[in-house]
Amino acid sequence: MFSRNALLIGVIVLLIVVGCARPDQSVEPTVSYETYNEPYKRIDVAEGLYLREVQNGAYVITQETEFAANSLLVEMADSTLVLVDTPYTIDATRELHGWIIEQYGDRDLIEINTGFHDDNLAGNGYLISRGVPVYGADLTVDLLKEHNSPNAPPTDLYPIDEGLELEFGSEIVRVYYPGPTHTLDNVVVYFPDRRLLFGGCMVSGWGGIGNTDDADLDAWPVSLHSLEQFEADLVIPGHGDRFYPEIIAETIDLLENME
Ligand SMILES: [Zn+2]
């Protein structure tokens, strides 16, 4: 049986051999992209729609499509529920809303949009019809108009450069705009008491960059550096299953090494 030390030496030797065998490669990837799957409790809501409980009272919501997307539901100190982004469709949003009612009863519920794409807000119309206030940036409304989007805009607007802070009893939530990224209007949502940051579509949790049609590729990594101010144990990406804080640095790395 190998001792721990023998195993360690073996690994080091292997790394040296592998390293020496590739002398031409000047840029080694700094990040490894092995699958990261915490054993979070999974709750299936409907076909292709499930939640993972990442903290007590905080759920990552995932709708599986050709490019699965994440939203977030958080129970605040005063029992208000904060939903960050909707699933891709009205139907999935209705299913999710039904689960929330079943689980929590008649609670105050608000929604925050982190951008103008479908995976951020295609369910707005349904939630608004159910009396849910939807917070969003002024620029998000402008971009919805510019793109002739069929989706309902947010109902409660704030100037994007100022961001937004909402209070729920003893707990706050902060919406922050770091500058242009994957879209011109993507914002992040920070729950300081939980050390939880919803990074949304500007942060990649799957090892790739995806759709860049509306992106500012020069500004994006610069904007991401400003997220280092947030102390977070969990960072939730718009897409992907990695919820650890290093995904911010991983995304910067991906952007800086794009062809
Ligand atoms: Zn997205």
Side-chain angles (χ1 to χ4, degrees):
M1 191 178 147
F2 287 113
S3 76
R4 231 185 131 97
N5 281 348
L7 195 64
L8 193 64
I9 289 165
V11 168
I12 290 167
V13 167
L14 186 69
L15 286 174
I16 291 168
V17 169
V18 169
C20 291
R22 302 162 71 190
D24 307 335
Q25 194 158 357
S26 53
V27 183
E28 285 288 333
T30 53
V31 180
S32 87
Y33 295 119
E34 71 271 11
T35 310
Y36 176 88
N37 272 317
E38 279 286 334
Y40 296 121
K41 184 178 149 199
R42 175 175 160 146
I43 302 160
D44 287 289
V45 172
E47 188 164 348
L49 182 69
Y50 61 91
L51 315 182
R52 276 167 287 181
E53 188 170 19
V54 294
Q55 288 177 343
N56 190 18
Y59 303 86
V60 172
I61 302 148
T62 303
Q63 187 180 12
E64 280 175 333
T65 61
E66 64 277 17
F67 192 38
N70 301 324
S71 326
L72 180 71
L73 179 71
V74 178
E75 186 181 15
M76 304 301 285
D78 73 346
S79 89
T80 301
L81 299 169
V82 173
L83 176 65
V84 183
D85 286 346
T86 70
Y88 275 105
T89 60
I90 291 275
D91 281 349
T93 305
R94 184 186 296 114
E95 299 276 12
L96 173 65
H97 187 257
W99 181 86
I100 291 171
I101 302 282
E102 197 181 290
Q103 182 76 11
Y104 290 103
D106 189 22
R107 290 276 186 97
D108 283 342
L109 169 65
I110 69 139
E111 196 219 333
I112 300 171
N113 291 150
T114 69
F116 80 100
H117 281 175
D118 284 2
D119 55 349
N120 306 129
L121 52 59
N124 275 3
Y126 179 74
L127 292 176
I128 293 166
S129 79
R130 300 299 303 254
V132 177
V134 179
Y135 290 84
D138 48 5
L139 183 56
T140 297
V141 177
D142 294 345
L143 290 171
L144 284 170
K145 272 187 212 141
E146 210 176 283
H147 288 79
N148 295 315
S149 169
N151 296 320
T155 54
D156 292 60
L157 306 188
Y158 62 89
I160 194 161
D161 287 320
E162 287 173 25
L164 179 71
E165 191 170 300
L166 299 171
E167 254 183 67
F168 301 93
S170 60
E171 194 176 359
I172 62 157
V173 58
R174 257 182 81 193
V175 182
Y176 172 75
Y177 176 60
T181 55
H182 153 267
T183 61
L184 300 184
D185 71 328
N186 278 151
V187 295
V188 299
V189 181
Y190 183 51
F191 299 83
D193 287 10
R194 290 177 171 274
R195 297 174 60 92
L196 170 62
L197 179 71
F198 185 83
C201 294
M202 74 178 73
V203 180
S204 167
W206 59 282
I209 287 300
N211 174 10
T212 58
D213 291 355
D214 300 314
D216 182 334
L217 289 171
D218 293 327
W220 190 344
V222 180
S223 301
L224 282 178
H225 275 294
S226 77
L227 301 186
E228 286 157 9
Q229 67 183 287
F230 295 106
E231 292 181 2
D233 299 325
L234 279 173
V235 176
I236 310 304
H239 306 271
D241 296 322
R242 301 170 201 169
F243 302 153
Y244 50 84
E246 291 80 6
I247 59 174
I248 296 170
E250 288 183 7
T251 308
I252 293 171
D253 196 55
L254 280 167
L255 289 162
E256 286 174 349
N257 291 300
M258 262 175 97
E259 303 281 290

